[in-house]
Amino acid sequence: MQLLNLYNCLSTYLVIGALLFSFGVYGMLARRTVIGMLISSEFILAAASTKFMAFNRFLAPDPAVGQIFTLFIMAIAAAEAAIAISIMIAVYRNFKTIDTDELVDLQG
Amino acid sequence: MQALVCQSAAAPALFSAEGMVGVIFLLTVVLVFTGALIAVNAQRLVRAVAGLAVCFTGLAGVYYFLLSPFLAMMQLLIYVGAVSILIAFGIMMATPEEKRVTGMKSRSLLAGPLAFSTGALMFAALTVLGLKTEWQVFPRQGTGDIKAVGMALLTTHSMVFELISIVLLMAIIGALVLAQRGRN
């Protein structure tokens, strides 16, 4: 059962990170609301942290560095989510919608 | 394949301790992808946020398998506990009652098959890159436990630590100012 030894391999975690990143890119392009795009951007950041953690576990000489990077990514993601939500609330007050197709002032 | 970096080559039996660990790992991976699929494809925004929380719970398990229980706890606290709830609040405050859906069918071509092919292309490229590269393993120098993380955070990375606190402070002030602006 080679399947049960997957958690000891670097490539497993790299594939997980790649799949999360592609989910994020797909959602970023396909979603029509701003909140859906924010959720997709969280996936992109999570993919980056997963890859940092994988390289940290298997390759890095000092295994504290990758964990610190992931902690900083978490802090940036929290700040980004807070700012994005407040921008969304401000946009909603002006436009009464957060649908990206309707957030236009000009024709075209 | 040469490029695969595996710590132990021998595959464990199903009904041993290591085999059970492998089964639990597969379950966490299933949790991650189920949550991600729900979050990206759900029609209602609230379900997308629930999928986000499920995915990040599974990701905390993945961090635990990457020998970092501290990061797993932080993932649960920050992402599942704070960011998901924040987005749920955003849905409650910034979406009209009857329009809490995220219809996937858009008029533009970019949002349909082009988005899917972009995602698939990204996945294929990153997977090939990850599997084909000859990764070089360096000998271990530190332990990587929480004590080493704390020491490195306050000595080697102390400048970044200070800067990230300023970034968080600016984010708090900016969020307050932005959310207050439209109110009259």
Side-chain angles (χ1 to χ4, degrees):
Chain A
M1 288 288 275
Q2 200 63 42
L3 203 62
L4 295 181
N5 201 23
L6 275 181
Y7 68 94
N8 271 327
C9 290
L10 171 65
S11 40
T12 316
Y13 298 99
L14 292 184
V15 171
I16 291 174
L19 206 50
L20 275 180
F21 184 81
S22 58
F23 273 141
V25 170
Y26 169 68
M28 202 77 166
L29 293 172
R31 282 294 197 198
R32 270 177 49 210
T33 58
V34 187
I35 288 184
M37 292 167 76
L38 175 67
I39 291 173
S40 305
S41 75
E42 295 293 334
F43 279 119
I44 296 179
L45 289 167
S49 336
T50 310
K51 292 212 166 196
F52 266 119
M53 288 296 287
F55 290 133
N56 179 53
R57 154 102 159 77
F58 289 98
L59 304 178
D62 185 7
V65 179
Q67 300 186 35
I68 289 170
F69 256 91
T70 309
L71 274 178
F72 287 148
I73 292 175
M74 279 181 188
I76 292 290
E80 173 245 351
I83 292 284
I85 291 285
S86 63
I87 289 176
M88 254 171 251
I89 290 172
V91 165
Y92 178 69
R93 286 218 185 95
N94 287 326
F95 286 86
K96 298 295 168 206
T97 179
I98 52 164
D99 195 319
T100 46
D101 285 344
E102 297 169 22
L103 288 181
V104 283
D105 268 341
L106 302 178
Q107 284 271 314
Chain B
M1 202 185 300
Q2 187 76 40
L4 291 175
V5 178
C6 285
Q7 296 258 311
S8 70
L14 179 59
F15 292 107
S16 61
E18 290 83 11
M20 278 297 126
V21 173
V23 170
I24 293 172
F25 176 71
L26 292 182
L27 285 180
T28 56
V29 174
V30 167
L31 206 62
V32 169
F33 291 137
T34 317
L37 274 176
I38 293 172
V40 175
N41 290 314
Q43 285 292 314
R44 303 185 73 81
L45 274 177
V46 178
R47 287 183 191 158
V49 174
L52 186 79
V54 168
C55 174
F56 282 156
T57 310
L59 213 55
V62 171
Y63 287 167
Y64 196 86
F65 275 95
L66 288 168
L67 303 183
S68 180
F70 173 61
L71 260 290
M73 276 313 293
M74 281 295 122
Q75 176 87 7
L76 281 182
L77 274 176
I78 295 176
Y79 276 116
V80 184
V83 172
S84 303
I85 303 299
L86 187 68
I87 296 176
F89 271 122
I91 292 172
M92 278 190 263
M93 292 179 74
T95 320
E97 191 71 48
E98 73 275 11
K99 287 187 71 176
R100 280 183 188 160
V101 294
T102 69
M104 296 298 282
K105 40 185 194 304
S106 179
R107 283 177 295 264
S108 70
L109 179 69
L110 186 68
L114 209 56
F116 184 79
S117 54
T118 309
L121 204 67
M122 281 284 182
F123 173 64
L126 284 173
T127 305
V128 167
L129 203 64
L131 294 184
K132 292 288 180 193
T133 312
E134 295 282 335
W135 299 112
Q136 195 179 0
V137 184
F138 290 99
R140 276 296 162 97
Q141 286 172 352
T143 54
D145 57 354
I146 183 165
K147 188 180 173 189
V149 171
M151 290 291 283
L153 206 58
L154 289 181
T155 53
T156 318
H157 305 276
S158 56
M159 183 69 192
V160 195
F161 188 70
E162 299 294 333
L163 283 179
I164 206 88
S165 57
I166 293 177
V167 166
L168 284 174
L169 179 69
M170 292 317 240
I172 295 169
I173 296 173
L176 286 176
V177 170
L178 276 172
Q180 207 186 13
R181 179 165 292 165
R183 191 184 286 172
N184 38 27

